[in-house]
Amino acid sequence: MKNIYSFIAILLALSISSCDIEREPFQDLSDDKVFADELGIEAAALGTYALLKKNEFMRPYHFHGEFGGDNIALSGSTTDHLFYMYNYQHTPTNGHLNSLWSGCYKGIVNANKVIDKAERGTPRLNHVIGEMHYLRAFFYFNLVNIWGRPYAQDPSQNLGVPIILDAEPDADNLPPRATVKEVYDQILSDLTSAATLMSEFKRIDAEYNIYASEQAANALLSRVYLYMGDNVKAEEYATKVIDSKNFSLLTGSDYETFPTMVPEKNSEIIFACRALKDEDDYGWYAFGGMYATIDGVGWGEMYASESYRDLLDQNPSDRRHKFIDPQYEDGDDYEITYSYDKTSPVGSKMFQMYAVTNNGGTWEYDYNGTKTVSTEIVNGNTLYFITEGENISEKTYVRLTKKMPVRQGYPKYFVIKCSNQEGQPQLFSPVISRLAEMYLNRAEARAKTGNTSGALEDVNVIRERANIDTYSDVPTGKTLLEVVLEERRLELAYEAHRRYDIFRNGLTLDRRYPGTHDRGANPLLTVPATSPRVVDFIPEAQILAQPNLEQNP
Amino acid sequence: MKYLQQIDFYRNNIKNRIRSNTAGIQKTIGLFICMLFFTAIASAQSLEVRGKVLDGETKESLPGVSIIVKGTSQGASTNIDGDYTLKIDQVNAVLVFSFIGYESVEVPVNGRSTINVNLNTSTSDLDEVMVVAYGTTKKSNLTGSAVALDSDDLKDVFVSNVASMLQGKVAGVNASSRSGRPGASTEITIRGKGSLSGTTSPLWVVDGIIMGNSDPGFSPSDIESMTILKDASATALYGSLAANGVILLQTKRAKKGESKINVNATYGFTTFNTGNFSVMNSQELYDYQKTWNPDVTEDVLNTDTDWMDIATQTGKAQEYNVNYSGGNEKMTSYLSGTYYNETGALKGYEYERYSAIANLDINATDRLKIKLNLSGDYSTTDNQQHSTYAMFTYMPWDEAYLPDGSVLDPRVDSGKEYLSANDKVWYGRDENNYLYDLQYNYGNSRSNNLRANIGFDYKINDWLTFSSMNNIAINNGHSEWYTDPRSISGQADKGTLYESYSFSRTRFTNQMLRFNKSIGLHVLNAFVAWEYTDYHSDNANAKGKGIAAGLTALNTTAEAASVGGSKWESAKQSMLVNLQYAYDDRYLATASFSRQGSSSFGPNKQYGNFWSASIGWNAHSEEFLQGVEWLNTLKWSASMGQVGNAPGGFQYLGYYAFVDQYNGSSAATPYQKGNPDISWEKVTSYNTAINTRLFDRVSINLDLYYKNSDNLLTYVPLPALTGYNGIWMNVGRVTNKGYELSVSPEIIKTSRFKWDMTLNLAYNKNRVEEIYEDKAYTRGNTRIEKGHDMDAQYQRIWYGANPANGEPLWEKVTENEDGTKTVSLTSDYADATLQFTGTKGTPTYTGGILNKFTFDNFTLSANISFVEGIHRYNSNRELFDSDGSYASFNSMNLHDGWNRWEKPGDVATHPKSFNGGVNANKNSSRYLEDASYIRLRNVTLAYNLPKNVLSLLKLSNASVFVSGDNLITLTDWSGMDPEIGATGYDNTHGALYPMSKKVMVGVKVGF
């Protein structure tokens, strides 16, 4: 039993020598270690891309640019805060906008860190730094478009967003909002540096368009100048990209399946944020999930608006019809659909459908007895109209289609332009810039500088590819700018451009078509570019954390 | 004379060494040494004493009674027949006979060799021995604030976990369930919350082993007793883990000489309990929607589906426990096995648990006692649970099933055809019926815990013992989720299988040297100890897609979809010192100190010091109170101490997380802004208590406390411009002060009928005292601001409907130039002002009323618990009570006192309903509700078989009982359950699974 004493002695000695209690996290590295070598710098740089890709940024970014436009119509009310982005019933507590604000600044500060820590010198590191300048500019560009009034409206007076270029921002001493102009100046400076820094090096050739590049910077510069109204520069940079011959428009059926391609295989993409199969599949919560239910994945609540479909239907051969997927029912039932004015609120509309049967070449429907659908030919297209029906009193054009299921009275026109990459229902690599936009940027710049033939030439490139008639002249009843913007709307729909395209051109958002934006006590069916609601509220949480942020009215 | 010379020698020696001229100290030391010698010299003669110990009332023999020679650690205990034998060293020793539940008796030996003793059941509980931090103490010697509960106090309610037995039982302890789902966990707070971001749950210590901040998962059947340590004096030794109080759990151990088998069986039924909440039926919804929804037609009235009825059932709960306790001089053992099974009142969920425990005590030699505790459990869940969300949001106008009994889903052909053939539409949102996928998809999980503790006490000499405790606890978990290719959610991936494996391991070791010495009336207990604990966990998960229907092994999936996993480690160690002194059981003092280090902090702030000191006075033992007949007990105690709270992370470290990728390459994103200076939360607490017992009928305990939590660690939200969401900082100071009153009158005390009652009441007031740079900040619906409760709610203040037009109204506060504020009303949500609502998310008063009626062999107990002064945000109402915002969701029926605006002049709580809503359902104080409640937590009627029947059946005891849980709840809360679903700091109610009503019957038999 004497051994017990030595045993106790050992235990006591053990206690006195005491154990090591230092531990480290397993999935994280301290900032110092990350920036200690080029590998770490590369990982941190890719981190900025990861921040761009994350749903925290990408989803509300898409919601804001697209759901605030007129290409879409929601088919019900939803608890999701996207509802208030869509119907302009803005609240300062919108979670998406807080996510968007912080998503942008996280990306910006991470870019700042890499720019600060990486040493310029080798073409490779220069390129990495250039990428950070590009991404930073992209984030600022979104910030200023979401929370700052359009550049056309007194940019040196109107407030934009705070500019932060520090790697380690001092939480107690953060800048207030800069003016819209100051933010644009910062964007121009970043993009110009980016283009220069990235001019001498390419990441892997085959993956050129899924990272920022010299041409991606030029492409974004073209858009930024266009937004600023500097049409000469907008044209210049668009031309640079087009002339670089790095990209070519997809044609034929390739174009029709463009969302299903990975960006690397898509010659038209200048820069897209690459989503990997499985890894980056957000499923129901991908923004494509709002547009379509595919193989049971997705909410399928936000449909192509009637006004967009009207525009598209002007040319039945338009290849862009492929991006809209009407959910026709099986079988051979047909129906006619029209929208009528609801009395209140003024301008709001609702759909009415009648089943039709083909009686020896004539379509008939039942409204207080059997009635027929009349036809007329306009510009080679057959148009259908009726004169009798619920809530109408005069000649009303109708759409004749196979019978469609409805969601709360709204026929399901799924949009599949943001889905189906590599056959995965809601996988998609969001496109930041593509060649078609360059032609449209240039067309708009040319239109605004009076170069009619140049503008039409560019528009025709797009129309030809879409398999529709080209213009030889500006059609009567339309201005050249209207022609360009109409084409831009058709081509860039569901790519988060539309809202900005309306307001930066001083136009009025016209929502007088069916959709649940007419719900609620005070719906906004038209939003002029001067409306306070053209810009969103700064998220309340951010003002609480940073009181020197001035709220938008 | 020899020793007097010795004393002189020592005195001179000391004098020379410390050169002290303080006569008082010298005298004391002299006296001390003097007594040492007395003890030494007196131990000359020896004698064997034997005898029998009987129950004073029943005259039955008492096994397991402890007999100790007063002032020494010599002792013995009685065998099964109540007999004992004890060798003593001195003929005039005093023997102390003590047994839990009985009054201790001191008997001078006076040279006798046979001493028979009758013990009387304890009327005062002060002589009971209770477990405290790192040891035991007599209740009368306690100086800190601690409350002990034995298994009878706890096991009235029928629950699967130990934590939920606590509600209403102890003043100052608030236990609330997170969900009514079988096996759901319980959240406990002791004396209010003292941390902004760290855990506010108490520490669990089982049989001396530190288990962490969550219920360690023992079966309630195996619990012998529980002690709740509330103040710093009681908890200081747990240092950084102790800021939220400590729950000590003792598992059952056997007594020498007994041999018993107990069988317990309980079976019962649970029902879904929606409280004050109900959703509309077909007619109600039609009547409501037709006022604002132009699309609604009378056709809807043809269908009235009760989705709640479809989703709920009478659940079943059952528990069976068999245990054995027995032993001899060499070894005692307690062995127990329990089976628990509960199916939810919500269909499709089953929780099952097998647990076993073996506690062995081996007297290897006179000096060496070895303890071995082994316990383990295995639990499983089968989850094909119906959706709480769906059962309340789905429209009564939609049919759930086709006429042939199969599920009607508008997404599949059969459903489409049925709807179109009958000219019907699906009214609900998302055009789906959750019942369809529920046919195919399910999840399950299993978890097993193994705990092994080996320790020993080695008695070096009469007053010095070395104790060692060494524990390892291992948890293995697995969960899987199967999505069938036939289900709609499995369509895209052709079925998926997700599996996750997790492992965790906690090691714990404590080496302690314990000093225990009585000299005359002085008793000194002390120990020094070293303790180390570390934790490791890891998990891995994988998802495969493309699976043949019904196969559930990952290797049957066609393609890998994703992998994931994580790892985590932490470690702590501490040095502990404790001193406990008592003079004549009248004057008591305790002091403790611990120095503790934690891996949660940076190298420069890794260690902290924690301490406590307390004193106590048993006034009733004073001579001048001996004559006061009506005063049985009067005790006063006071304590102060400092403990800590260390969050379990790497909050000091600035780092990038490598959890993302871009295009398949590892991508690092800034994850945490470093703060190397962050340090422990320091909680200094002061406590004073009075314990009395009067007229041998009423016990009254009153505690007053003040808890000052400084250096509070919190995740301060940072503006996004910093690139981070927030930063961990020591931001401020919060105080909790309050009182706890416990009154236990024995109202009726006759030989046949007894009525005992205990009333617990606790009041707590919380206040943020200081905050870093006076920067208030908002988190969710609460705001941390100086001078306010830390759970003070901060929202737009709702003002009801505008009588003129039915528009919603909120308060708008504008500050005038002279600093005064003007309150006006606005219908513009964005324009309304965020402000303190004057309410808070933690209760002011909590408590319980426990009643026990005994009539002959019948016992009726009723346990009522209450919570008062708490408001919670009922977020469900954003959906169910939204004035027309969501035409495709069902709505709730109006609660008492609510009304909708219909025409000008109406003074209404609810604005005019409008298709699409009026933004009135946005987060504001409109949905902030008083969540106070009084709940009949349990009522039990038990019948104990009389002795003559027992002996006929050859049983030692037998009882049957019937009990009901949660039968009555009184509350204004408009949701289902005011207790359930409070999540996070803003007390938002999201979950919808209320506590079930349970009715149980049970049998307990002892052989």
Side-chain angles (χ1 to χ4, degrees), chain A residues 21 23 27-29 43 47 53 77 79 84 106 110 113 172 210 274 278 280 301 412 424 520 540 542, chain B residues 429 431 532 545 561 599 655-656 658 661-662 668 720 724-725 775 796 834 879 885 914-915 917 922:
Chain A
I21 55 163
R23 295 290 186 277
Q27 58 221 9
D28 316 294
L29 284 181
K53 183 184 70 181
S77 45
T79 50
Y84 312 111
K106 276 184 193 171
N110 192 48
K113 284 183 201 284
D172 294 325
I210 56 172
R274 178 68 154 100
D278 296 321
D280 297 321
E301 294 179 358
K412 295 184 173 182
Q424 265 186 16
E540 193 165 271
Q542 297 299 334
Chain B
R429 210 191 116 82
E431 300 214 314
Y532 172 88
K545 56 184 189 177
S599 61
Y655 59 78
Y656 268 75
F658 282 71
Q661 52 76 28
Y662 183 72
Y724 297 93
N725 293 332
K775 274 189 188 162
R796 287 174 171 78
L834 283 170
L879 223 72
S885 293
F914 212 100
N915 195 4
K922 297 289 151 303

Side-chain angles (χ1 to χ4, degrees), chain A residues 60 74 80 119 132 134 143 222 251 264 352 437 474 524:
Chain A
L74 190 62
D80 191 309
E119 275 179 47
M132 296 303 105
Y134 170 87
L143 285 168
S222 155
T251 52
E264 302 95 297
Q352 176 73 47
E437 185 206 338
V474 178
L524 285 181

Side-chain angles (χ1 to χ4, degrees), chain B residues 124 162 194 453 612:
Chain B
S124 145
V162 176
N453 174 30
S612 78

Side-chain angles (χ1 to χ4, degrees), chain B residues 530-541:
Chain B
W530 169 79
E531 188 171 277
Y532 172 88
T533 176
D534 71 354
Y535 174 80
H536 170 96
S537 75
D538 52 53
N539 72 75
N541 61 64

Side-chain angles (χ1 to χ4, degrees), chain B residues 355-429:
Chain B
S355 54
I357 179 167
N359 288 342
L360 305 178
D361 297 286
I362 299 160
N363 295 315
T365 70
D366 284 350
R367 288 165 180 272
L368 182 66
K369 188 173 178 182
I370 300 170
K371 292 182 198 174
L372 177 67
N373 305 350
L374 296 170
S375 64
D377 59 71
Y378 174 76
S379 59
T380 61
T381 62
D382 283 315
N383 183 359
Q384 199 164 11
Q385 185 175 287
H386 283 244
S387 160
T388 44
Y389 178 81
M391 77 187 200
F392 296 118
T393 55
Y394 274 33
M395 303 290 272
W397 305 336
D398 288 324
E399 286 167 79
Y401 298 101
L402 293 167
D404 67 3
S406 62
V407 174
L408 191 174
D409 191 302
R411 295 168 296 182
V412 299
D413 290 344
S414 63
K416 277 184 203 163
E417 280 159 21
Y418 175 80
L419 290 173
S420 126
N422 291 281
D423 209 17
K424 286 186 170 174
V425 293
W426 185 267
Y427 295 96
R429 210 191 116 82

Side-chain angles (χ1 to χ4, degrees), chain A residues 14 77 225 324 446 463:
Chain A
L14 240 173
S77 45
Y225 280 121
I324 310 296
R446 283 173 171 174
R463 289 178 70 84

